[in-house]
Amino acid sequence: MPPTPLLGRQQDVAAVGQLLSPSGAAGRLVTLIGPGGVGKTRLALAVALELVDAFADDVWFVDLSPLRDYRLVAASVARALDVRESGGRSAHELLIDALRERLVLLVLDNFEHVVDAAPLVADLLSRCPRLSVLVTSRTPLRLRAERRFMVEPLSVPRADRALRRYQPYYASTADWAWTRCSVTRCCCDGRTRCNLQHLYRHHLTSAEVADA
C-alpha cells in the first residue's frame, strides 16, 4: 500500500471508491485508463486501501506487468490469492471455486500487457456474483460491464496545492520557487513521474527536481 498519502488525487480516490463500493451502486468492474506514468497504479492502491473494510473477504493486488502471454493471467492471479492446484483442474476453474461466494476486490495492475485476457475477467464476474475488479490499463478491456475512469495528469493548480505542504522543508525562498516552477513544468508536459512524495522523502534540491 502507498507509504505516504496520495497527493492531488483525493477526488479521484473518492469517485472510484464510490463506483466500486458494495454498499452503493457498485460497478463491479472499473478500469483506470491513462498513459504510462500518470499514476494509475498508485491511485488503484489508494482506492484499495479505502475499500479494505468494505470487502469482508479481502482485497487482492496482482501486478501483471511481468506477463506477455495472456494465457498465464489465471495462473498468476491464482498464485497471488494462494489458490492451490487440485485434481488437474485449470487455474481458471480453481479461481471460480475460490471466489464464487466471497466478497472480494481484485486489483489487476498493468492489464494492457495481457488485454486478450479480458474474457477471463468477464467470466469471473459472471460466475462470482460478489466479486469486484479494479483494473489499471492504458487501453480499455471493452467489456459490457466495464466502467471506465480516465486518469488525467494532475492539473497545474492541483499539483501546486499538493506541493505547498512541502514548502517548510526548503531552506530558501529561491529554492522553493524553483521547485514549484519545475513541478509545474512536469505537469504541463505530462511528465507525471515527477512524484511529489519523492520530493518530501528526499528533500530534493531545485536542480534535482528540474532533472526529475
Side-chain angles (χ1 to χ4, degrees):
M1 292 300 173
T4 55
L6 181 65
L7 301 182
R9 295 283 186 191
Q10 289 82 358
Q11 292 180 351
D12 294 341
V13 172
V16 177
Q18 188 172 20
L19 288 175
L20 285 166
S21 174
S23 61
R28 295 194 61 216
L29 172 60
V30 176
T31 303
L32 305 181
I33 301 173
V38 78
K40 300 184 296 297
T41 297
R42 192 165 176 83
L43 175 57
L45 286 169
V47 172
L49 185 60
E50 285 291 316
L51 294 176
V52 162
D53 292 335
F55 286 88
D57 295 313
D58 225 337
V59 174
W60 296 91
F61 179 88
V62 184
D63 179 13
L64 300 175
S65 61
L67 302 183
R68 292 299 179 271
D69 186 344
Y70 74 94
R71 293 169 293 186
L72 300 177
V73 171
S76 295
V77 174
R79 281 196 298 272
L81 273 62
D82 199 27
V83 175
R84 306 297 177 88
E85 295 183 8
S86 175
R89 303 174 67 204
S90 69
H92 187 156
E93 291 296 328
L94 291 171
L95 276 176
I96 291 169
D97 283 352
L99 296 172
R100 195 187 306 274
E101 303 297 332
R102 298 175 67 189
L103 183 61
V104 167
L105 174 62
L106 181 60
V107 182
L108 301 177
D109 192 36
N110 294 297
F111 204 88
E112 67 271 7
H113 299 294
V114 288
V115 71
D116 287 339
L120 167 67
V121 176
D123 192 50
L124 289 175
L125 288 168
S126 173
R127 299 170 66 179
C128 305
R130 305 183 74 200
L131 171 68
S132 295
V133 181
L134 176 60
V135 174
T136 74
S137 180
R138 299 184 188 186
T139 59
L141 275 62
R142 304 190 186 281
L143 297 175
R144 180 175 298 179
E146 181 181 33
R147 303 181 74 168
R148 301 171 187 174
F149 188 93
M150 303 305 298
V151 182
E152 304 289 348
L154 283 178
S155 65
V156 171
R158 288 175 69 188
D160 188 57
R161 286 195 300 271
L163 183 61
R164 283 182 183 277
R165 67 181 295 178
Y166 298 117
Q167 185 173 1
Y169 295 94
Y170 286 85
S172 70
T173 302
D175 203 44
W176 162 247
W178 186 275
T179 297
R180 282 187 64 194
C181 290
S182 299
V183 171
T184 298
R185 190 195 68 216
C186 288
C187 293
C188 290
D189 293 344
R191 292 169 57 216
T192 53
R193 291 183 186 274
C194 188
N195 188 313
L196 301 182
Q197 283 81 14
H198 188 70
L199 301 181
Y200 172 77
R201 289 198 300 270
H202 300 285
H203 309 317
L204 297 186
T205 67
S206 58
E208 289 171 325
V209 172
D211 291 335

